[in-house]
Amino acid sequence: MEGELMSKPVGIIGAGSFGTAIAKILAQNTDVLMFSRNPALIAELNTEHRIKSIDIPENIKGVSSLETIGSSCKVIFPIVPSEHFRNMIKKLSPHINPSHFIIHGTKGLDVSDFDASEDSKALLTRAQVHTMSEVINQETSAIRVGCLSGPNLAKEILENKPTATVIASRFQEVVRAGEQLLNSKNFTVFGTNDILGAEMSGAFKNAIAIGSGILGGLELGKNIQSILITRGLREMIFLSKAMGGDVKTFFGTAGIGDLVATTTSTDSRNYSFGLRIGRGEKKEDIKQDTNELAEGVRTVKIMKLLADNYKLKLPIIQMIYTIIFEGFKPERAVKYLMKYPYGVDVDFM
């Protein structure tokens, strides 16, 4: 299989910062086709070998056709925001067959068949929440599906700083493909068959990162930040258990590893979003001058609605939700959490 994988280019769908970072990693081992809907970006990539001031290897070629991705590539990495993921997969679907390997890099959840806008008391159920791998299975004939997860801050990868990632799939050949294509000098790949745990931890940690950023904006120090991260992990685990997930992956690279990186770095869009909220800015103003969506904003709302449905007490998620969507003062939220009667420290094992 290795020779077949290396003989064909690998497809990347999405030319954002993370898609570009993964494309550059892949280019160390194989040729890459990168899809974008932006003609100017493709022209810049193919003529100047640059994307937004980032130097791009010459074996990465830009394309504007999903059909080209499907017909030319055996392995495809879709890396687009979760709110656009299903529509993109629907467009890709006619060009996919069961021989394709699809390994997504989107850390979010799909709720495209749910609309809470008409009913403030609407409850969100597990049946209405879909991981990205579930979306791929629902919309395409692909069988061998996986996800890329872990502490992968795009800026650090683009600066060639060392890190690791996790390829999760129920199919061992997908894990091996990810290892063969991505392993390089500064990029190590671990594997797991717990794709649901990897996807849930990858999505949920974005919400906790916003909370950590809010504390940073309030300049409350590292002690309280560490408490929020550890108690936030507890809430991630409880919600995942309620949804039928196996939580062992939460204690590995795709769980704690990704959580620590995302909740402590200004290179994280979610942490930076929270930082600005903590400094007094409004959600709407931040969105207007931000190039890429902070996935955690949507995820906070999804987690809150799921917790309501399962009757789970997730005080950190509840407070982050009220700050973002109801204008609750961050200082009051911190006081509430400091007085919350947690009781036992570790109650999720």
Side-chain angles (χ1 to χ4, degrees):
M1 183 178 69
E2 181 175 354
E4 184 181 1
L5 287 177
M6 298 304 181
S7 66
K8 288 190 172 185
V10 173
I12 289 278
I13 300 176
S17 57
F18 189 45
T20 302
I22 295 303
K24 291 191 69 172
I25 294 292
L26 289 165
Q28 297 179 45
N29 295 319
T30 186
D31 293 336
V32 177
L33 294 182
M34 176 181 281
F35 169 84
S36 173
R37 296 176 300 172
N38 185 336
L41 185 148
I42 292 174
E44 181 185 25
L45 169 58
N46 290 335
T47 59
E48 301 179 24
H49 305 295
R50 293 176 69 79
I51 296 178
K52 299 176 183 177
S53 76
I54 300 169
D55 291 329
I56 302 296
E58 293 189 9
N59 64 332
I60 299 177
K61 180 182 177 183
V63 298
S64 58
S65 166
L66 288 174
E67 182 178 3
T68 300
I69 294 289
S71 62
S72 303
C73 306
K74 182 179 179 66
V75 182
I76 301 171
F77 287 80
I79 305 176
V80 300
S82 59
E83 66 176 332
H84 305 306
F85 195 88
R86 186 178 292 272
N87 284 337
M88 179 276 297
I89 289 295
K90 285 181 177 180
K91 293 175 182 177
L92 177 67
S93 181
H95 316 298
I96 295 299
N97 61 60
S99 71
H100 282 100
F101 288 39
I102 303 183
I103 305 172
H104 77 82
T106 298
K107 297 177 181 179
L109 298 167
D110 172 79
V111 288
S112 55
D113 55 356
F114 174 80
D115 183 7
S117 60
E118 297 180 1
D119 183 0
S120 61
K121 297 185 182 300
L123 294 178
L124 188 59
T125 68
R126 173 65 178 99
Q128 295 168 303
V129 178
H130 316 286
T131 66
M132 299 301 102
S133 68
E134 290 169 349
V135 172
I136 295 168
N137 288 138
Q138 291 162 4
E139 300 292 351
T140 77
S141 61
I143 298 170
R144 287 171 289 190
V145 175
C147 80
L148 185 157
S149 190
N152 298 149
L153 297 172
K155 185 173 182 293
E156 291 190 6
I157 297 173
L158 290 168
E159 292 171 350
N160 206 31
K161 293 178 179 178
T163 189
T165 195
V166 173
I167 296 293
S169 177
R170 296 180 183 88
F171 297 90
Q172 197 58 34
E173 59 264 40
V174 175
V175 175
R176 288 197 299 269
E179 292 171 343
Q180 292 166 9
L181 291 167
L182 288 165
N183 262 322
S184 56
K185 180 181 177 181
N186 288 317
F187 200 79
T188 299
V189 180
F190 301 117
T192 180
N193 297 125
D194 180 21
I195 187 170
L196 182 59
E199 289 184 287
M200 285 188 178
S201 60
F204 292 168
K205 55 86 185 175
N206 286 330
I208 305 304
I210 291 177
S212 180
I214 291 171
L215 294 180
L218 294 172
E219 299 183 357
L220 294 180
K222 294 298 182 183
N223 286 333
I224 190 65
Q225 185 182 45
S226 69
I227 294 169
L228 179 131
I229 293 169
T230 52
R231 303 308 292 179
L233 175 64
R234 170 188 177 274
E235 296 192 10
M236 291 165 58
I237 288 171
F238 271 114
L239 184 54
S240 181
K241 280 185 175 181
M243 296 176 69
D246 182 347
V247 301
K248 65 179 183 294
T249 299
F250 282 75
F251 298 99
T253 305
I256 291 176
D258 201 3
L259 179 66
V260 170
T262 310
T263 55
T264 59
S265 175
T266 54
D267 289 335
S268 160
R269 290 192 296 274
N270 294 284
Y271 179 86
S272 296
F273 178 89
L275 193 71
R276 295 177 66 176
I277 292 288
R279 290 172 176 168
E281 296 186 56
K282 302 295 185 184
K283 175 188 66 174
E284 293 74 18
D285 296 333
I286 298 171
K287 282 186 174 182
Q288 285 182 358
D289 64 0
T290 301
N291 291 328
E292 296 186 39
L293 174 74
E295 281 280 6
V297 176
R298 292 181 68 251
T299 305
V300 164
K301 188 170 187 178
I302 292 169
M303 292 177 73
K304 189 266 184 188
L305 292 173
L306 282 168
D308 289 347
N309 179 49
Y310 290 116
K311 296 179 172 57
L312 290 176
K313 294 181 178 179
L314 305 183
I316 292 174
I317 292 300
Q318 181 66 47
M319 286 297 99
I320 298 172
Y321 175 88
T322 59
I323 290 169
I324 295 175
F325 294 101
E326 297 177 1
F328 198 69
K329 294 294 184 183
E331 296 86 353
R332 290 184 63 194
V334 172
K335 289 180 180 179
Y336 173 84
L337 291 173
M338 289 298 292
K339 298 296 183 181
Y340 191 84
Y342 279 108
V344 179
D345 183 25
V346 178
D347 56 359
F348 50 79
M349 299 293 286

